Amino acid sequence: MSATGPRPLPLTAIQESMWTAYRIAPDSAAYNIVMPLRLRGRVDATAMDAAVTSVGARQELLRSVFTEADGRPVRHASEQPLIQLEFRDLDGASEDELLRAAEEAGARPFRLESGTFRVVLLRRTDDDWALVTSAHHIVGDFTSRWLLVRDLLDAYEGHACGNEPNWRPLKAGYSDHAAEELRYTASESGVNAAAAWQEAVAGSAPAELPLDRPRPRVRSLRGDTVVRQLAPETADGLSDAANSAGATPFAYLLAVFQALTHRWTGQDDFLLGVPASSRSGRGQRDVIGCFLNTMPVRAEFGPATTFAETAARAGERIMAGMFGVRYPCTLAFPQGAPFRAALFLVQMDRMEPPVPNVPPGERVGPSVPYAGLDIALIDVPQQEGQLDLLLRVEQTPEGVTAVFAYDTDVFDRASVERFADGYERFLAAAVADPAARVADVPLAGDEDLAALLALGAGSGSGFDDFDADGFFRDGLDSLESFHSFDSLDSSGPFEKAADQ
């Protein structure tokens, strides 16, 4: 660091949104991106400490802090690493205590004025450890959490053998991305891209899922998660169903999300968010940073709309959006993101290191050898409360998992569980028959119908002509609807719009 201190650097549009979120709720961990690993084997803590320092020196954003100057947020990048390894010896702790300590390490809020990146090494025994990497979303995205772990473990392997890390050299930094964004948004092409985004959503409105409570004036940015492992026959049939509709599997997953949202809300024309990566070229593939642009994708339904038609239209609109992905939607919609729910896909089998996902109901996934250790993913909640509802679909060779993160300010868990049940049911129906009409799939599951039938029978009222599906939908429609939308968040982890 020079004697005059690091020079101030501009933020990208998405980073400004993240800064706003931080200022609203500085004690929230909703924007922590965490990747905790269980390590089996002898860990050289000195080599791990050196690895943390090396990664901090390599990645520009991990040497950054954020402040305000003249009412605007600015970034300062130090010439020296700002982070050191945090080591905790839990000698004699139970496995449950180790996993709980790993979750707590990842969930600690950041103070962006002093640091944005944390690595914690937890020792249980000489052969049983946990390594927790955590970064604020302002300096990372979902791809970056894997890059951070890969860089760290590659550096650890090198330092443990007395060598320098065997990394690919970085051809660009995040400052280059920020400078290019500023240039593009001020150009004629950028002005045209902003107009195209606004035209794409004109006349539509955010999907308004029925709320359990009125929206608070100030969001707490706290949440919870509901997880569903999709039935094997549904996951196995997804590609064929998508191909028959002329769409990608991601477009099909989005189409079913749109279809269920249409049935829950009764809206025929609405917007959902699709987080996409704004990384450009091979020069940025190894750069840790927030390369995120969450696109509003429009959905339209009529009485005869089929799942195949919905998927084809979703795929076309995702592709159209990707042509404009360089222009930040946060600038195109300065009054706030035009969506309150979003969906994104993570193809975990394409990530490096190739750590398998954690099976539903388990806390630790299968282990794989990497960097001289056996590593396994630890399941921890994260990115909860960023939006009213954020669906993350995780695809692995072992199956497909749907993770519903939601805002507890507005939703009860039971409501999100019903929505998750509905997504499983609608996706199964869409895979079994892509030509099926969205309107023909029962909104209420068998348990809901049984409860309603029992309620009707108990009341002594005539029930023969009762439309349980309609009652279920109307009951949902009568719940509290959305209030004015806060001017935050066009984020959502995250990343490529399903490799469109």
Side-chain angles (χ1 to χ4, degrees):
M1 188 181 301
S2 65
T4 57
R7 62 185 177 89
L9 299 167
L11 277 63
T12 58
I14 188 62
Q15 286 183 316
E16 291 200 6
S17 291
M18 300 295 177
W19 176 259
T20 302
Y22 170 70
R23 292 301 301 271
I24 290 173
D27 295 324
S28 170
Y31 289 88
N32 286 17
I33 299 177
V34 188
M35 190 165 175
L37 297 175
R38 185 82 172 269
L39 308 181
R40 296 284 191 175
R42 297 273 175 164
V43 176
D44 184 337
T46 301
M48 190 67 74
D49 184 51
V52 172
T53 301
S54 295
V55 174
R58 168 176 165 84
Q59 296 284 353
E60 172 191 327
L61 280 185
L62 303 185
R63 291 181 277 106
S64 296
V65 296
F66 295 80
T67 59
E68 285 189 352
D70 299 324
R72 294 295 302 273
V74 295
R75 176 168 68 90
H76 300 273
S78 171
E79 297 176 2
Q80 301 297 324
L82 298 176
I83 189 70
Q84 292 182 331
L85 177 71
E86 296 182 28
F87 175 74
R88 289 183 59 194
D89 192 343
L90 304 177
D91 188 42
S94 66
E95 180 175 13
D96 183 68
E97 289 171 330
L98 174 69
L99 299 181
R100 186 165 59 249
E103 180 175 340
E104 291 171 352
R108 238 187 297 150
F110 285 97
R111 287 290 176 261
L112 300 187
E113 297 86 351
S114 58
T116 58
F117 161 51
R118 180 184 307 123
V119 179
V120 180
L121 182 63
L122 305 169
R123 175 191 172 276
R124 181 179 175 233
T125 70
D126 286 343
D127 295 304
D128 191 4
W129 309 68
L131 179 69
V132 184
T133 61
S134 182
H136 193 278
H137 210 338
I138 201 168
V139 297
D141 51 26
F142 217 75
T143 297
S144 294
R145 92 171 182 154
W146 294 81
L147 292 175
L148 176 55
V149 166
R150 186 203 66 188
D151 277 4
L152 182 61
L153 291 180
D154 287 352
Y156 168 76
E157 185 175 35
H159 285 299
C161 297
N163 301 320
E164 290 299 312
N166 186 24
W167 290 320
R168 285 192 297 258
L170 296 180
K171 298 180 180 180
Y174 196 78
S175 291
D176 301 305
H177 171 68
E180 171 58 21
E181 181 183 282
L182 285 172
R183 185 203 66 77
Y184 177 70
T185 54
S187 69
E188 182 179 356
S189 296
V191 172
N192 292 337
W197 279 123
Q198 293 161 2
E199 182 180 354
V201 306
S204 190
E208 297 189 350
L209 293 170
L211 305 182
D212 294 310
R213 281 172 295 283
R215 186 180 305 283
R217 183 176 296 276
V218 178
R219 297 171 59 197
S220 70
L221 293 178
R222 295 187 178 92
D224 199 358
T225 297
V226 170
V227 180
R228 292 286 186 271
Q229 177 77 25
L230 299 183
E233 58 270 22
T234 300
D236 293 343
L238 177 60
S239 292
D240 288 343
N243 287 337
S244 72
T248 65
F250 175 72
Y252 214 78
L253 292 164
L254 174 61
V256 173
F257 191 40
Q258 292 172 329
L260 180 61
T261 300
H262 159 65
R263 293 289 302 279
W264 264 58
T265 65
Q267 292 173 270
D268 296 330
D269 185 340
F270 57 87
L271 302 168
L272 294 172
V274 174
S277 175
S278 59
R279 291 177 187 266
S280 60
R282 299 176 67 84
Q284 294 178 346
R285 68 177 181 177
D286 295 317
V287 177
I288 290 175
C290 189
F291 296 91
L292 179 68
N293 192 9
T294 304
M295 310 181 299
V297 177
R298 193 168 191 163
E300 294 169 285
F301 289 88
T305 303
T306 66
F307 286 105
E309 292 168 346
T310 305
R313 188 180 299 121
E316 292 169 358
R317 289 179 171 169
I318 291 170
M319 286 298 293
M322 291 303 293
F323 284 112
V325 75
R326 291 174 62 199
Y327 192 91
C329 288
T330 52
L331 297 182
F333 307 104
Q335 300 306 312
F339 51 82
R340 301 178 179 117
L343 175 147
F344 73 102
L345 173 70
V346 181
Q347 293 176 303
M348 297 183 67
D349 54 329
R350 299 187 182 184
M351 299 297 185
E352 181 72 20
V355 190
N357 204 5
V358 181
E362 301 291 332
R363 299 179 68 184
V364 181
S367 63
V368 295
Y370 194 87
L373 300 165
D374 285 333
I375 65 174
L377 192 63
I378 300 173
D379 183 41
V380 297
Q382 58 183 302
Q383 300 171 329
E384 299 173 335
Q386 291 184 14
L387 293 172
D388 289 341
L389 184 65
L390 175 64
L391 171 55
R392 181 175 78 247
V393 180
E394 299 175 343
Q395 188 175 32
T396 71
E398 292 75 35
V400 179
T401 303
V403 182
F404 299 82
Y406 64 96
D407 185 350
T408 52
D409 283 346
V410 296
F411 282 128
D412 291 331
R413 184 177 183 87
S415 298
V416 179
E417 288 177 336
R418 284 198 302 272
F419 191 89
D421 292 342
Y423 188 74
E424 288 187 274
R425 187 164 53 252
F426 268 53
L427 185 57
V431 167
D433 183 9
R437 297 194 314 169
V438 171
D440 291 340
V441 180
L443 188 60
D446 292 340
E447 292 184 1
D448 296 312
L449 290 171
L452 290 169
L453 288 168
L455 176 64
S459 67
S461 61
F463 212 66
D464 292 339
D465 298 325
F466 182 74
D467 177 2
D469 185 40
F471 177 85
F472 186 78
R473 181 174 60 255
D474 293 344
L476 289 171
D477 290 343
S478 69
L479 294 176
E480 179 67 42
S481 62
F482 280 92
H483 293 228
S484 60
F485 181 52
D486 299 330
S487 61
L488 190 95
D489 162 45
S490 72
S491 67
F494 354 48
E495 314 331 273
K496 292 204 176 201
D499 296 325
Q500 288 286 337

